[in-house]
Amino acid sequence: MSNNNKTPPILSSQICTQLLPLAFKLYHSYMGKSLNPSKRQKLIAHYDHRHLQEQPLIPGLPDHVAELCLSRVHPSLLYSVCRSWRRLIYCPFFPPFRSFYALFFSSSDNEIQLLSFDPMSSRWETVPPPPNPLRLLVHHPSFLCRNLPVQSISVSGNLVLLAGTAPNFNPAISRPLIFSPLSCSWSLGPPMATPRRWCAAGASGPTVYVASGIGSNFSTDVARSLEKWDLWEEDEMDDFRWKKMRQLKDGRFSTDAIDAVGWRQKLCMVNVAKQGTLYDVTNDIWEQMPEGMVGGWRGPVAAMDEEVLYAVDEDKGLLTRYNQDSDNWEVIMEVENLRGACQMAAAGGRLCVICGDGEILVIDVVAAPPKFWTVQRPAELEPLAVHILPRLSRLDF
């Protein structure tokens, strides 16, 4: 099949033929023996289908039943068949497929930009900008060999921007900045008691964690601190705040931008000096990291669905997977492109990696053997972080 996203018309009829038995079964299970139009109308009253009324999704079926049938077909097939099905997969109420998101730095205007890569169209798409432009310090003559970090995490299908450096070298973010792909909107989290930079940031389930770091000035209390905020409790005003948790025993993690990787109800943290620790989110205790785990932590690490740890050996270009039983890292594959890798995200059986030359590499670890390919980044933009999140909702396709 060619890559022009055009599929022979026969594909549409084949899919429809396969879906019709399921469609009528679902139709009768929803409608029972009554075909009362007012009853059908009540079932779909909570959706606005004005944008889908050019033609029925599946001829002879109400759209809400057709949607149930089409939700079982891979979005890439729906995208290729017809315009109405293509529109459907971007609607807010349709099960979203995953897309890649990247925070980029634009040297032309010194701004941070968030873009989304749509795997259906293979194009980068503009994300609505936050209310205020993100002007953070990324490059400075005093830091010739590295960027000043901009720290962001993925949590419950949202991107959360937590820490960065202002032009005056103070912490730039006093409240988390949250982007929701499904609503295509930005919002603010609760104020931090001490805005910080060079901290450890991560998530476990719907809860955001920030540990250590430096505020406007160094403070031992901040360097040892751990705070959490539950994103699911943001509608409860009494819980719309950061909660202090058990402190670190020292401030050894306060001078590095660290990914606190959520894995099996723990946060895994390793600093540049290869000192590691685990935080048990259930029991609020700090634990020693197993020797084998910290020994194989030789580059960016990400957890697939918070269950399986993957790591890149940035010196050798190796992709490894952690085996908890034997406390070692098993080599999955060697890829020259992975040398110098600096950041990685994991979700849905795929890894997305920012490589040393700014190339973005995608690895399908479910395939046997694993497959990988590159995603061409936009010209003149420098990738700072990648995330795997639900696709953007669109009503104007």
Side-chain angles (χ1 to χ4, degrees):
M1 187 181 295
S2 64
N3 292 327
N4 59 4
N5 290 326
K6 293 183 179 179
T7 304
I10 189 65
L11 179 58
S12 178
S13 61
Q14 288 174 343
I15 294 177
C16 285
T17 301
Q18 295 171 3
L19 288 174
L20 280 176
L22 173 63
F24 285 109
K25 181 178 180 181
L26 289 169
Y27 178 83
H28 289 295
S29 68
Y30 261 69
M31 301 303 176
K33 296 181 180 180
S34 172
L35 299 179
N36 189 318
S38 62
K39 185 175 181 180
R40 293 200 300 268
Q41 186 61 34
K42 289 180 181 179
L43 288 173
I44 61 173
H46 61 295
Y47 292 142
D48 181 0
H49 285 280
R50 286 175 296 178
H51 60 288
L52 294 175
Q53 292 305 310
E54 294 181 357
Q55 63 183 36
L57 291 173
I58 298 178
L61 289 180
D63 277 351
H64 69 281
V65 176
E67 288 160 13
L68 291 173
C69 301
L70 296 175
S71 67
R72 303 190 181 192
V73 180
H74 196 279
S76 62
L77 291 176
L78 301 181
Y79 183 92
S80 302
V81 172
C82 61
R83 185 179 179 86
S84 61
W85 289 10
R86 186 178 300 181
R87 281 182 171 182
L88 179 66
I89 64 175
Y90 292 97
C91 290
F93 54 80
F94 197 76
F97 55 86
R98 290 184 174 93
S99 294
F100 304 122
Y101 291 75
L103 282 171
F104 289 101
F105 175 68
S106 172
S107 57
S108 61
D109 53 14
N110 289 323
E111 284 193 5
I112 305 297
Q113 300 179 17
L114 176 62
L115 300 181
S116 170
F117 184 81
D118 186 334
M120 301 299 138
S121 62
S122 297
R123 293 197 302 261
W124 287 101
E125 297 185 343
T126 303
V127 170
N132 298 312
L134 292 174
R135 290 191 173 90
L136 306 176
L137 195 60
V138 175
H139 299 299
H140 192 273
S142 300
F143 298 86
L144 295 177
C145 298
R146 62 188 302 187
N147 291 339
L148 292 168
V150 177
Q151 294 180 257
S152 57
I153 63 171
S154 303
V155 54
S156 297
N158 300 278
L159 183 145
V160 181
L161 191 60
L162 286 167
T165 303
N168 61 359
F169 279 91
N170 283 328
I173 300 173
S174 60
R175 300 178 65 177
L177 192 57
I178 310 152
F179 177 73
S180 168
L182 297 183
S183 66
C184 286
S185 62
W186 293 85
S187 60
L188 291 173
M192 298 182 186
T194 305
R196 62 194 74 191
R197 54 197 177 97
W198 304 99
C199 57
S204 178
T207 305
V208 179
Y209 290 85
V210 172
S212 196
I214 299 175
S216 299
N217 298 290
F218 178 81
S219 164
T220 301
D221 288 340
V222 173
R224 296 181 56 207
S225 67
L226 172 67
E227 299 182 14
K228 75 172 185 178
W229 159 52
D230 192 328
L231 195 67
W232 285 359
E233 295 179 347
E234 63 178 349
D235 293 331
E236 301 292 335
M237 293 308 297
D238 291 342
D239 293 312
F240 192 67
R241 60 186 177 87
W242 291 89
K243 300 177 183 178
K244 293 184 180 298
M245 307 305 291
R246 187 182 297 272
Q247 289 186 325
L248 290 150
K249 65 178 182 180
D250 53 43
R252 70 179 66 183
F253 296 96
S254 64
T255 58
D256 299 316
I258 298 170
D259 290 329
V261 181
W263 173 71
R264 300 183 180 181
Q265 299 299 305
K266 299 180 187 293
L267 293 177
C268 310
M269 298 163 44
V270 177
N271 62 14
V272 174
K274 300 305 177 186
Q275 299 169 315
T277 188
L278 299 177
Y279 173 71
D280 185 326
V281 302
T282 302
N283 299 306
D284 188 28
I285 57 174
W286 291 95
E287 302 173 354
Q288 184 175 355
M289 180 175 282
E291 183 177 346
M293 178 184 282
V294 69
W297 204 288
R298 299 171 181 171
V301 176
M304 188 73 68
D305 302 320
E306 299 192 14
E307 282 296 325
V308 182
L309 284 174
Y310 291 90
V312 172
D313 186 323
E314 58 184 319
D315 293 328
K316 299 179 180 179
L318 299 176
L319 176 66
T320 59
R321 178 175 51 227
Y322 182 65
N323 186 321
Q324 186 179 17
D325 294 333
S326 59
D327 187 30
N328 69 352
W329 295 83
E330 302 168 345
V331 175
I332 298 176
M333 62 191 304
E334 180 178 359
V335 183
E336 182 67 25
N337 310 54
L338 290 175
R339 293 181 185 272
C342 57
Q343 197 260 342
M344 178 166 63
R350 292 183 176 177
L351 305 174
C352 192
V353 188
I354 298 180
C355 302
D357 58 357
E359 180 181 63
I360 298 176
L361 190 72
V362 180
I363 305 173
D364 184 346
V365 294
V366 175
K371 301 177 182 178
F372 66 93
W373 61 94
T374 59
V375 174
Q376 186 174 3
R377 60 189 171 99
E380 299 181 1
L381 292 180
E382 176 187 351
L384 303 177
V386 288
H387 298 276
I388 302 175
L389 298 166
R391 56 91 178 107
L392 290 170
S393 294
R394 298 168 59 184
L395 296 177
D396 58 348
F397 195 86

